[in-house]
Amino acid sequence: MSHPPSKTIYPEQPSDKDGQRNKEGLGELPAAFAPLNLPPPEEYFQRKVALISGITGQDGSYLTEFLLEKGYTVHGIIRRSSSFNTGRLHHLYEDQHERPNKFHLHYGDLTDSTALVFLMARILPTEVYNLGAQSHVKVSFSLAEYTADVDAIGTLRLLDAIRTCGLTKHCRFYQASTSELYGLVQEVPQSETTPFYPRSPYGVAKLYAYWITVNYREAYGMYAVNGILFNHESPRRGRTFVTRKITRAVAEIYEKKQACLWLGNLDAQRDWGHANDYIEGMWLMLQGQGLKPEEQPTDFVLATGETHPVREFVEKAFGVVGIKLAWSGSGLDEEARDVNTGKVVVKIDPQYFRPAEVELLLGNPAKAERMLGWKRKVNFEDLVKEMVEADLTAVRNFVEDQN
């Protein structure tokens, strides 16, 4: 059937006239659905409209900045909370007068299919980035069912929302996969062809999300890809994650506001990069970079190709503030003292060990470097330095961030 000659009508984007905005910058959407009168995909993709789940997180905030700079209209899904959960996005609200009608937030949840279908039909995105998840590995052992519902079935709900709205050929889908898929690693380094062996409810849930993304790509011809991202950190990382826990504690110990840093497994090794470097890789995966016209979209590993133990991260972080550590003891009795003062500043607490540990993660980004032209820019030492210095500034200015 040919398309009607009249101009294609898209749903009107939310603005102040669509409804009252509250202090979080959220506009109420009109109740009625607009007719889905879609042009050919080539014309449709020129609109550059992104929908992001997990927009309030570390990666979501960096991705929002990146896409806005590229001229996208960005829509984000946030969960209702009685306290503000948009701290990483505040600076973008302040810039609204420079980017009118380019950035919108909507209430929704990966556990709510109806809300996802409604938003998909109203926004008609050209790209969907599924970054939303219960992403804390240790917590996933306590909240296993919830983690599965959000991280595994939530991905299915988003993919089905795209299909339900008739956007199978009009929308590209990015799934935030994880190096935790490798778990009990089967080879070193890990690449796109390394067998998976997850070691946590989080990893198992993400395994389902990975394969359902592959399945929808192969079954329905969707442009759907997995980005298997190894650990990526920044000053925006949540304070319950080990890297940010370390850098914040170093800042508070240096400023004499905390006595000791308590950690779990110091020997676990991770491939740590800067989150802002990885955002460009996500976007490149949805641009068809390096693909021939007849080729299917494909999955990519993003990593630095280096691995460092938690112990080294601790030493580098304390080194930023001029504190040299001396280690003594072993196992649960291991501790580190400040060489200058003799005070114990690092100790072990068994509650921070996982029931099933992942000892070594080391990614091979060769495919991404070859096909996408992607390469990390920030090295390990500079990453640690940036995070410690940001936390020093926050501590000195009495900033109790919500990250």
Side-chain angles (χ1 to χ4, degrees):
M1 181 182 293
S2 61
H3 290 278
S6 59
K7 184 179 179 181
T8 300
I9 299 174
Y10 296 109
E12 190 172 292
Q13 302 301 334
S15 65
D16 286 333
K17 71 178 186 295
D18 293 321
Q20 297 297 316
R21 286 187 180 276
N22 61 26
K23 291 182 180 179
E24 291 174 304
L26 299 168
E28 295 296 328
L29 291 171
F33 281 77
L36 300 184
N37 183 18
L38 301 178
E42 297 76 16
E43 178 185 339
Y44 179 89
F45 282 122
Q46 294 175 12
R47 294 170 52 242
K48 295 170 69 172
V49 178
L51 175 62
I52 304 173
S53 72
I55 196 169
T56 59
Q58 169 189 255
D59 293 4
S61 63
Y62 282 123
L63 180 60
T64 299
E65 291 172 346
F66 180 87
L67 294 175
L68 288 172
E69 288 297 324
K70 287 196 169 292
Y72 280 70
T73 297
V74 178
H75 295 262
I77 302 172
I78 70 168
R79 292 172 295 167
R80 170 61 187 157
S81 173
S82 58
S83 58
F84 285 106
N85 58 2
T86 53
R88 295 180 179 93
L89 302 171
H90 281 165
H91 61 293
L92 297 177
Y93 293 150
E94 296 169 1
D95 287 343
Q96 281 294 287
H97 59 284
E98 297 178 8
R99 301 186 180 99
N101 299 321
K102 284 287 188 179
F103 179 44
H104 310 283
L105 295 177
H106 312 279
Y107 288 123
D109 199 293
L110 289 173
T111 64
D112 189 334
S113 299
T114 304
L116 295 178
V117 170
F118 179 79
L119 290 173
M120 201 72 67
R122 287 294 302 151
I123 294 165
L124 293 180
T126 57
E127 297 173 6
V128 172
Y129 295 85
N130 184 28
L131 311 184
Q134 191 300 101
S135 59
H136 198 288
V137 177
K138 178 66 162 62
V139 171
S140 76
F141 285 96
S142 300
L143 299 176
E145 182 180 343
Y146 174 74
T147 301
D149 193 19
V150 174
D151 299 11
I153 306 305
T155 304
L156 173 62
R157 293 183 184 108
L158 263 181
L159 288 164
D160 263 338
I162 292 171
R163 289 190 61 232
T164 298
C165 294
L167 299 176
T168 304
K169 302 296 183 184
H170 289 73
C171 182
R172 295 179 173 181
F173 179 82
Y174 172 84
Q175 168 59 21
S177 285
T178 169
S179 57
E180 290 287 332
L181 293 174
Y182 299 115
L184 188 63
V185 297
Q186 303 299 292
E187 65 180 12
V188 179
Q190 296 89 53
S191 72
E192 293 82 3
T193 58
T194 301
F196 298 135
Y197 195 140
R199 297 266 283 171
S200 65
Y202 168 75
V204 172
K206 283 289 191 174
L207 183 63
Y208 175 90
Y210 173 93
W211 282 115
I212 199 65
T213 299
V214 172
N215 180 251
Y216 271 52
R217 178 171 72 215
E218 296 176 351
Y220 304 114
M222 293 177 65
Y223 193 114
V225 301
N226 287 284
I228 306 173
L229 273 56
F230 281 65
N231 298 66
H232 44 289
E233 318 298 319
S234 78
R236 299 183 191 178
R237 188 58 136 160
R239 287 172 61 181
T240 60
F241 291 84
V242 68
T243 51
R244 184 73 197 293
K245 178 181 178 180
I246 292 167
T247 60
R248 185 68 177 207
V250 166
E252 295 196 346
I253 289 170
Y254 182 74
E255 293 294 328
K256 297 180 172 55
K257 295 185 178 182
Q258 180 175 329
C260 185
L261 165 63
W262 293 84
L263 292 170
N265 186 357
L266 293 171
D267 297 317
Q269 298 181 60
R270 293 293 183 268
D271 185 326
W272 278 303
H274 196 297
N276 208 20
D277 286 348
Y278 289 59
I279 298 308
E280 182 182 18
M282 297 179 188
W283 177 77
L284 287 170
M285 291 180 207
L286 294 193
Q287 310 314 306
Q289 202 90 352
L291 288 176
K292 297 176 182 177
E294 69 276 9
E295 290 181 326
Q296 268 198 342
T298 185
D299 307 315
F300 291 94
V301 162
L302 297 186
T304 69
E306 301 175 6
T307 190
H308 303 269
V310 174
R311 186 190 312 276
E312 183 183 355
F313 196 105
V314 172
E315 292 171 345
K316 295 284 187 186
F318 274 101
V320 173
V321 295
I323 296 177
K324 185 176 180 180
L325 301 180
W327 297 92
S328 63
S330 61
L332 297 179
D333 296 322
E334 186 171 12
E335 60 186 25
R337 295 178 182 271
D338 180 337
V339 169
N340 292 325
T341 66
K343 293 181 179 179
V344 175
V345 291
V346 182
K347 297 195 76 170
I348 305 300
D349 186 335
Q351 73 168 317
Y352 297 125
F353 284 84
R354 299 178 186 178
E357 185 57 80
V358 174
E359 297 292 348
L360 169 66
L361 292 175
L362 172 61
N364 178 3
K367 181 180 175 183
E369 292 175 356
R370 183 181 72 254
M371 292 183 64
L372 303 179
W374 177 88
K375 196 171 182 64
R376 69 90 179 261
K377 300 180 180 68
V378 180
N379 64 32
F380 178 68
E381 289 76 12
D382 289 343
L383 168 64
V384 177
K385 186 172 184 286
E386 180 186 340
M387 292 178 68
V388 172
E389 289 178 344
D391 274 319
L392 279 170
T393 299
V395 169
R396 288 166 177 166
N397 290 284
F398 305 98
V399 175
E400 288 296 330
D401 66 80
Q402 301 302 309
N403 291 351

